[in-house]
Amino acid sequence: MSLKIKIIFYVGLIIAFLMMIISIAFLYQFRSVILEKEISNARSVSSAAAIPILDAFIFSEQDFYDPSQILERHISYFMANVNGMKFMHVYNRGNKLTASTHWDPATPLQARPPEFRVTNTVRESVSIHRHDEYGWVIEIEYPLFIAGKYLGTTVMGFDGNPVRKEIRSLFIGLLILNIVVTTITLYVLYKLISKLTRSLGQLTDAIDQFDLKTPEKKLPLPDSDDEIGHLGKRFGLLQQRLIESKHNLAESQRNIYRAEKLAFIGRLSSGVAHEINNSVNGIQSCMYAINKDPKNHEQTEEYMKLISEGLQHIEIIVKKLLEYSRKNSPSLVNVNIAEIVENVLKLCSYKIQKLGITITFKPDTDLPGIKADKYLIQEVLMNLLINSMDAVSDGGCICIKAGRKNRQSIYLSVEDDGPGIAPEFTDLIFEPFFTTKDTGKGTGLGLSVVQGVVESHDGTIRLDSQPGVKTVFTITLPINGKHERTIN
Amino acid sequence: MRNFLGLCPMSRFRILATLGGLFCLLLLFTFMLYRSVVNLSGEYIDNRTVSIDIQNFSEYPTKYFGVVSRYPAHIIYQQYQPLMDYLNRNTDYHFQLKLSNSYSETVQQLASGEVDVALLGSYMYATSKDEHDLIAILKPLNEDSLALRRSVLFTSKNSIIHKTDDLRGKKLALASKESFSGNWMPLHMLRLNGITRDDLEDISNYPNHHTVIHKVLRGEYDAGAVRESVARDFMDRGLRIFEYSDPLPTSPIVVTKQQDPDMVAAIINALVHQDPARTDKAGPIDIMDGGTVVSYIETDGSEYNFIRRVTNE
């Protein structure tokens, strides 16, 4: 739910609730005032009407005359002159109906209900009820007494329908006011929130569109003089800082690359020097011994053989360096990986048997052919296999797997149960002349060459090693081999 | 798909469902509120609502208390009914007011036994007691605890009359000829100042003390004479008193000599020997034309002989 909806919903709910509470309070207050006013009017009329009735009853008590006739006159007078009076009954102190606007012809003198005199207390009472004939009626029962002398009771009914109509109008008026005020408030709120969220949306769009690759592109930012405007300005500053950081980062990367390259050249030179120097030293020693005793043909023959081996070692080093650094593109042909694996296993079968290593090869049934340089892939597999054979002890196991990784590529993995590679070496393992083998057993160029070949095929190589458990080299190669790249 | 306030259909459905539910609740609440507001049924009792206990006196003998009614009946009842209520509460009799049009009629009612006890004017008592065997048993005490009152001669505030002697050649309004304080005593005061009826331009009697005051204040008469307590009520309405009489006895409560002594004793006992601790005392009673009565004192009637002397002058 958006911020706009949330704010409108909750604020609207609170405003509507508060308006409702206030309106109800007003409604009941005004209702009470209206009713009090009407009841007060009715009371005033009742007390005014009571005076002649009291006199009539007093004179009746003094035996001056029968009150009925004069009471009827009083009633007629009040009915004619008081607006809204609906009925009037006068009861004497014995609660017998003495005069009324509604004589019942069958029982001309009605007695009041017996419950009226359950106690000897009379009191003024006002009630509002719905009358069958007149609708809503305000009925006042007004006891006629002076000091402690009770003379009778008048019951007067006043039209209550206008009061009800007034209260109904008040209700409808307040309801309309409520709706109008709430609607206007919500509309104003909606407009305000829209303006607010428009600025926020503008800022969000600017953040989305910001790209360090095109930092010169001008982005529209909210420029209002409020919190969101300030936020927009801060984002502009952040943009500038990011651009500066990018430049700094690029500069740093260049420096690192330069330093790394120099370090690499140093390591490469030292590796070359070390490997070649060993052979050269050996050759020099042999030459020294031959020169010292040239007539010792047996020694000369033996040392010449050693010199030849030393020269061969130097040749191998140079050859591999050339392979590592050559810039020829691989020549891509259709290659069957399973076939390449079988060929390599045949080539290494003597060593495998000699070392007593168990090698399994499990090509997936859906392993497709790929476009690659057959000989380079063969060399890659050979290097990985030799490394694994060197790593495993007698009776060790090597497992070669190949299969389809996804629609575009295949994988080829070589897994051995050798001692594994320590974590601190995993970053160095592909560097030229880095080796964990004993001196003289490896040149330290195998994995560098492997990495170069794989990358020239637009593939990847990954090392997963758990020291003491296993080591897995996994190569992925594109099926179509279309990303042809020179070996760098 | 976002097309309603930028909301996805699920959020839109939830919001519309919530709003719909709230709207339905609001509609129901409004309807119930309307029903409650326009339903006026009920009983409305407020602080002004009064109630009284109706006493049942059927077991007590009814005695009639005579008073003169020169005003609407309910006003007379407002003045004297509290006294009846007090007697009803404090005696074994049921007292009811009996109205008459004049003191003479009340005397006749006493004589005929139509009324058992009456509040008579002091003049009427003094002049009728021998003829009808009347005896005064109680006289009211005023706010100063005195059974006395005075007559006054008054005029309007701007009048040139400042003493009784100034009345010569002027028009004088008096109260009823049955009123000692409103008629006989003022005439006595004039005589004491050497003024006779012939010295005045006009002299007339009116049934009520209030009527006398109104006549003077309206300028129909130059001066008037009424009871002091009545005149004092009009002091702030342009009335000025210029002469006071000597103190006069207050109007007595009277019975006939043949009256039941037990009833007489009960009345005296109730009105004179009031328990100071009681809250429902017999006074004060604001008696029209008679001032405020706060309590009563027994009398043998001898002080009213003065009235007889004056009226015989």
Side-chain angles (χ1 to χ4, degrees):
Chain A
M1 199 188 290
S2 71
L3 186 65
K4 179 161 57 177
I5 298 295
K6 274 183 191 168
I7 292 174
I8 291 173
F9 182 77
Y10 289 116
V11 174
L13 209 63
I14 290 167
I15 288 171
F17 182 72
L18 287 177
M19 281 295 297
M20 199 167 69
I21 295 289
I22 292 167
S23 299
I24 290 172
F26 268 113
L27 180 66
Y28 275 98
Q29 188 62 37
F30 279 122
R31 180 183 186 267
S32 171
V33 168
I34 291 168
L35 282 175
E36 272 179 25
K37 189 188 82 183
E38 288 303 318
I39 289 170
S40 176
N41 287 344
R43 275 204 172 105
S44 301
V45 173
S46 302
S47 34
I51 291 169
I53 297 169
L54 273 170
D55 283 344
F57 274 130
I58 289 169
F59 286 132
S60 155
E61 197 177 66
Q62 303 289 325
D63 296 330
F64 292 156
Y65 53 73
D66 176 9
S68 300
Q69 196 176 349
I70 197 161
L71 287 176
E72 290 293 344
R73 280 182 173 278
H74 285 317
I75 288 176
S76 301
Y77 175 80
F78 274 100
M79 290 297 288
N81 290 285
V82 178
N83 283 336
M85 185 176 259
K86 291 295 180 187
F87 58 82
M88 184 171 176
H89 311 300
V90 180
Y91 296 86
N92 66 13
R93 61 187 304 170
N95 296 313
K96 191 180 265 185
L97 189 64
T98 311
S100 173
T101 49
H102 290 67
W103 285 108
D104 183 348
T107 52
L109 293 176
Q110 294 169 327
R112 304 198 71 186
E115 64 267 22
F116 178 71
R117 290 298 295 274
V118 170
T119 65
N120 284 330
T121 301
V122 291
R123 66 177 177 83
E124 182 186 332
S125 77
V126 182
S127 65
I128 301 179
H129 56 83
R130 202 173 168 78
H131 194 277
D132 292 339
E133 190 178 344
Y134 305 119
W136 288 92
V137 166
I138 301 170
E139 187 175 298
I140 295 197
E141 194 173 287
Y142 193 87
L144 304 164
F145 60 87
I146 297 175
K149 188 174 183 66
Y150 172 65
L151 291 156
T153 300
T154 61
V155 178
M156 279 167 270
F158 299 89
D159 190 2
N161 293 304
V163 184
R164 192 168 181 268
K165 202 178 278 181
E166 196 177 347
I167 290 171
R168 192 168 53 196
S169 302
L170 176 70
F171 179 87
I172 292 168
L174 279 173
L175 185 66
I176 291 170
L177 180 75
N178 235 312
I179 292 169
V180 168
V181 169
T182 307
T183 308
I184 290 172
T185 311
L186 285 180
Y187 178 75
V188 171
L189 191 69
Y190 175 78
K191 284 287 174 193
L192 283 173
I193 301 293
S194 295
K195 194 178 170 192
L196 188 77
T197 49
R198 199 179 305 124
S199 301
L200 276 174
Q202 203 177 9
L203 184 62
T204 312
D205 290 344
I207 292 169
D208 284 346
Q209 288 168 21
F210 176 61
D211 190 355
L212 279 172
K213 288 174 187 167
T214 54
E216 68 284 348
K217 186 180 174 185
K218 278 278 177 190
L219 298 173
L221 289 171
D223 57 353
S224 52
D225 189 23
D226 54 16
E227 283 80 355
I228 296 172
H230 296 321
L231 196 60
K233 283 171 194 156
R234 296 288 183 282
F235 175 69
L237 294 174
L238 179 68
Q239 238 178 319
Q240 285 175 5
R241 283 203 297 274
L242 279 173
I243 292 165
E244 282 172 20
S245 299
K246 191 198 168 192
H247 289 313
N248 293 338
L249 182 65
E251 185 62 33
S252 301
Q253 279 177 337
R254 275 195 293 276
N255 291 336
I256 290 167
Y257 178 74
R258 208 174 293 125
E260 190 67 23
K261 209 156 85 176
L262 289 171
F264 176 75
I265 291 167
R267 283 198 299 275
L268 185 68
S269 308
S270 119
V272 171
H274 176 74
E275 287 298 326
I276 292 176
N277 209 29
N278 285 343
S279 299
V280 170
N281 284 340
I283 291 168
Q284 277 180 339
S285 299
C286 289
M287 289 297 289
Y288 176 76
I290 290 169
N291 286 333
K292 198 174 179 182
D293 188 9
K295 292 180 180 175
N296 187 349
H297 294 288
E298 193 179 339
Q299 180 185 265
T300 303
E301 191 179 342
E302 186 187 346
Y303 281 4
M304 285 303 285
K305 197 176 172 182
L306 287 173
I307 287 167
S308 175
E309 282 178 8
L311 289 171
Q312 273 180 1
H313 184 69
I314 290 168
E315 187 188 0
I316 289 167
I317 297 291
V318 172
K319 190 180 170 188
K320 291 220 172 181
L321 268 176
L322 286 173
E323 281 176 4
Y324 178 74
S325 63
R326 73 182 162 194
K327 294 183 180 175
N328 296 337
S329 298
S331 55
L332 303 180
V333 295
N334 287 330
V335 169
N336 186 335
I337 293 293
E339 212 171 87
I340 289 175
V341 174
E342 295 296 339
N343 286 341
V344 170
L345 288 177
K346 276 179 195 169
L347 288 171
C348 298
S349 58
Y350 171 73
K351 193 173 181 181
I352 292 166
Q353 282 176 5
K354 189 181 174 187
L355 292 171
I357 295 167
T358 306
I359 294 188
T360 57
F361 173 50
K362 295 174 185 171
D364 286 352
T365 50
D366 59 346
L367 176 65
I370 64 167
K371 279 191 171 178
D373 189 314
K374 183 180 175 181
Y375 297 104
L376 289 176
I377 297 301
Q378 200 167 302
E379 189 179 346
V380 163
L381 185 60
M382 180 70 86
N383 272 319
L384 292 176
L385 194 59
I386 288 168
N387 278 347
S388 291
M389 284 192 294
D390 289 343
V392 296
S393 53
D394 290 349
C397 289
I398 295 171
C399 180
I400 302 170
K401 293 177 186 170
R404 182 189 279 272
K405 186 182 179 188
N406 51 41
R407 287 172 63 188
Q408 283 88 32
S409 56
I410 59 126
Y411 72 90
L412 173 65
S413 69
V414 178
E415 179 183 332
D416 66 64
D417 58 356
I421 298 165
E424 61 268 26
F425 298 144
T426 52
D427 290 340
L428 305 168
I429 203 85
F430 294 106
E431 284 197 9
F433 297 107
F434 177 82
T435 181
T436 55
K437 296 176 185 173
D438 295 336
T439 309
K441 281 195 172 178
T443 60
L445 289 167
L447 284 175
S448 308
V449 171
V450 166
Q451 189 185 33
V453 171
V454 169
E455 285 179 354
S456 72
H457 281 78
D458 215 6
T460 60
I461 181 165
R462 198 179 79 224
L463 164 66
D464 296 306
S465 179
Q466 295 175 35
V469 181
K470 65 176 182 179
T471 301
V472 185
F473 284 94
T474 306
I475 294 165
T476 58
L477 294 167
I479 292 171
N480 293 326
K482 54 189 173 184
H483 302 300
E484 294 183 8
R485 193 186 289 176
T486 55
I487 296 170
N488 186 7
Chain B
M1 182 183 168
R2 289 169 179 267
N3 52 5
F4 171 70
L5 295 170
L7 297 171
C8 65
M10 194 61 198
S11 297
R12 188 176 56 191
F13 174 76
R14 277 174 53 200
I15 287 173
L16 287 177
T18 310
L19 286 176
L22 281 173
F23 182 73
C24 288
L25 275 176
L26 200 65
L27 217 58
L28 184 69
F29 176 75
T30 307
F31 178 70
M32 288 173 73
L33 184 68
Y34 174 77
R35 290 282 305 271
S36 156
V37 166
V38 297
N39 181 14
L40 307 179
S41 300
E43 198 165 346
Y44 296 84
I45 299 168
D46 63 19
N47 296 332
R48 291 172 297 180
T49 300
V50 290
S51 66
I52 59 160
D53 290 325
I54 300 171
Q55 290 172 286
N56 186 0
F57 299 108
S58 57
E59 57 189 287
Y60 300 123
T62 300
K63 299 291 178 185
Y64 291 97
F65 197 113
V67 291
V68 178
S69 171
R70 288 189 294 252
Y71 296 95
H74 68 276
I75 294 176
I76 299 298
Y77 264 63
Q78 279 167 1
Q79 289 171 356
Y80 295 109
Q81 186 59 39
L83 178 62
M84 298 302 106
D85 292 341
Y86 177 80
L87 290 173
N88 289 340
R89 283 195 301 272
N90 293 282
T91 66
D92 292 334
Y93 298 92
H94 175 213
F95 286 94
Q96 282 211 59
L97 287 169
K98 189 74 178 175
L99 306 183
S100 69
N101 290 319
S102 64
Y103 282 129
S104 309
E105 190 182 338
T106 304
V107 169
Q108 290 302 322
Q109 286 171 335
L110 271 171
S112 66
E114 196 179 343
V115 299
D116 302 282
V117 56
L119 187 67
L120 276 186
S122 46
Y123 166 78
M124 189 49 70
Y125 167 69
T127 54
S128 313
K129 64 174 188 174
D130 292 340
E131 187 184 347
H132 297 288
D133 286 341
L134 304 179
I135 52 170
I137 56 171
L138 294 169
K139 54 183 179 180
L141 295 177
N142 62 20
E143 287 147 323
D144 299 324
S145 297
L146 296 171
L148 298 172
R149 57 187 173 181
R150 291 189 295 187
S151 292
V152 294
L153 290 171
F154 70 93
T155 183
S156 58
K157 196 170 273 181
N158 301 322
S159 170
I160 55 165
I161 299 168
H162 290 283
K163 56 183 187 297
T164 310
D165 205 44
D166 294 340
L167 287 174
R168 290 175 198 280
K170 297 290 188 294
K171 292 200 285 186
L172 181 68
L174 298 175
S176 164
K177 287 182 177 173
E178 291 184 350
S179 169
F180 183 73
S181 58
N183 178 60
W184 296 102
M185 192 60 194
L187 289 174
H188 177 67
M189 289 161 74
L190 291 178
R191 275 195 298 276
L192 289 176
N193 281 277
I195 300 170
T196 63
R197 283 176 174 268
D198 295 338
D199 295 326
L200 300 171
E201 184 191 335
D202 182 29
I203 185 163
S204 301
N205 292 89
Y206 293 94
N208 300 327
H209 289 232
H210 286 87
T211 313
V212 174
I213 291 174
H214 291 148
K215 292 281 181 188
V216 175
L217 292 180
R218 283 202 292 263
E220 294 177 29
Y221 287 85
D222 299 307
V226 292
R227 194 173 300 135
E228 181 190 5
S229 58
V230 183
R232 289 211 172 275
D233 291 341
F234 289 84
M235 292 292 276
D236 56 351
R237 287 193 252 174
L239 184 147
R240 176 166 54 81
I241 297 170
F242 62 89
E243 186 70 50
Y244 291 88
S245 74
D246 293 331
L248 308 171
T250 51
S251 299
I253 293 175
V254 176
V255 295
T256 58
K257 284 177 182 170
Q258 295 79 29
Q259 192 49 259
D260 174 15
D262 290 342
M263 186 207 74
V264 174
I267 293 171
I268 293 170
N269 195 45
L271 293 178
V272 175
H273 306 296
Q274 290 186 49
D275 181 358
R278 286 193 66 142
T279 52
D280 58 336
K281 294 180 180 173
I285 302 167
D286 184 17
I287 296 174
M288 188 74 74
D289 295 352
T292 302
V293 173
V294 294
S295 60
Y296 296 85
I297 188 171
E298 281 187 87
T299 178
D300 58 1
S302 58
E303 58 268 54
Y304 296 97
N305 293 334
F306 159 75
I307 292 169
R308 207 156 177 189
R309 280 201 307 277
V310 169
T311 54
N312 288 334
E313 284 175 354

